[in-house]
Amino acid sequence: MSYINIPLDALTSRLNIAGVSEQVRSQSFGQRFANLKPISEFLDLKRLSKPANFTEVQSRINYNIGYFSTNYAGVALMLGVYSLLTNLTLLFDIIFVGVGLFGIKKLNGRDLDVGFARATTSQLYTGLLIIGVPLFFWASPIGTALWLVGATGVTILGHASFMDKPIDTAFSEEAV
């Protein structure tokens, strides 16, 4: 049986993924929002064009991911909010577990006394686990996460590969 050897190193080194992620981590939160490009520039239909070949696609993706990184983070955030709003069971479970953990923590280790029943913090955590975990799996978080990864990838890579670089950067690359 012969195996197909895919040189993933060649693809990832040409896309410069490590350089982009290092650039994103080095910026503070305030600097990231200062880098937000206007919507008219982000959705400039005059700069949309079909790339001629794969080398041009890689070049556009490298430039646009660095240039529009904050806008792409906003797109990913909006798609994440959309995925939670369309999967209300998952949203309810996240809120339920969060509020439950917050409420148990507010007890400061004391028992919960409701007049007719008394529950220790261990019993409360167990009840939260018994209700929260099956509800979490019933809400299909894996399907939501896979949809989110796919939708974000297609949206960001599609925009980055079809959005042409500004003319001034094209001339500066030829001079080098």
Side-chain angles (χ1 to χ4, degrees):
M1 174 183 255
S2 67
Y3 293 99
I4 298 174
N5 189 9
I6 300 173
L8 291 177
D9 243 8
L11 288 174
T12 56
S13 66
R14 292 184 84 186
L15 286 176
N16 193 16
I17 293 171
V20 170
S21 65
E22 182 60 37
Q23 177 188 13
V24 167
R25 276 183 293 211
S26 67
Q27 292 179 338
S28 71
F29 195 68
Q31 288 174 330
R32 295 232 1 109
F33 281 111
N35 193 22
L36 190 64
K37 305 298 180 216
I39 196 78
S40 60
E41 185 178 353
F42 185 64
L43 298 176
D44 187 8
L45 296 179
K46 295 174 189 160
R47 287 181 39 207
L48 283 181
S49 66
K50 181 181 166 198
N53 52 28
F54 189 67
T55 306
E56 189 178 348
V57 169
Q58 287 178 324
S59 172
R60 287 181 181 190
I61 288 174
N62 276 335
Y63 177 79
N64 287 329
I65 284 184
Y67 189 72
F68 291 118
S69 61
T70 306
N71 295 66
Y72 291 146
V75 167
L77 180 69
M78 286 188 281
L79 286 171
V81 168
Y82 174 77
S83 69
L84 283 176
L85 290 176
T86 56
N87 191 348
L88 291 176
T89 310
L90 183 61
L91 179 63
F92 171 76
D93 189 48
I94 291 171
I95 292 171
F96 174 75
V97 170
V99 169
L101 290 173
F102 177 75
I104 294 171
K105 194 169 222 43
K106 282 296 242 184
L107 289 174
N108 292 329
R110 296 183 312 243
D111 292 347
L112 178 66
D113 191 9
V114 222
F116 61 89
R118 177 180 223 113
T120 64
T121 54
S122 175
Q123 291 171 329
L124 292 172
Y125 280 122
T126 304
L128 193 60
L129 181 83
I130 288 173
I131 296 170
V133 170
L135 188 61
F136 181 74
F137 286 118
W138 185 54
S140 70
I142 296 171
T144 302
L146 289 175
W147 177 87
L148 184 59
V149 167
T152 303
V154 166
T155 304
I156 291 173
L157 289 176
H159 180 273
S161 60
F162 284 108
M163 182 64 71
D164 203 2
K165 294 186 213 177
I167 294 174
D168 54 338
T169 57
F171 285 123
S172 67
E173 283 181 358
E174 289 178 8
V176 173

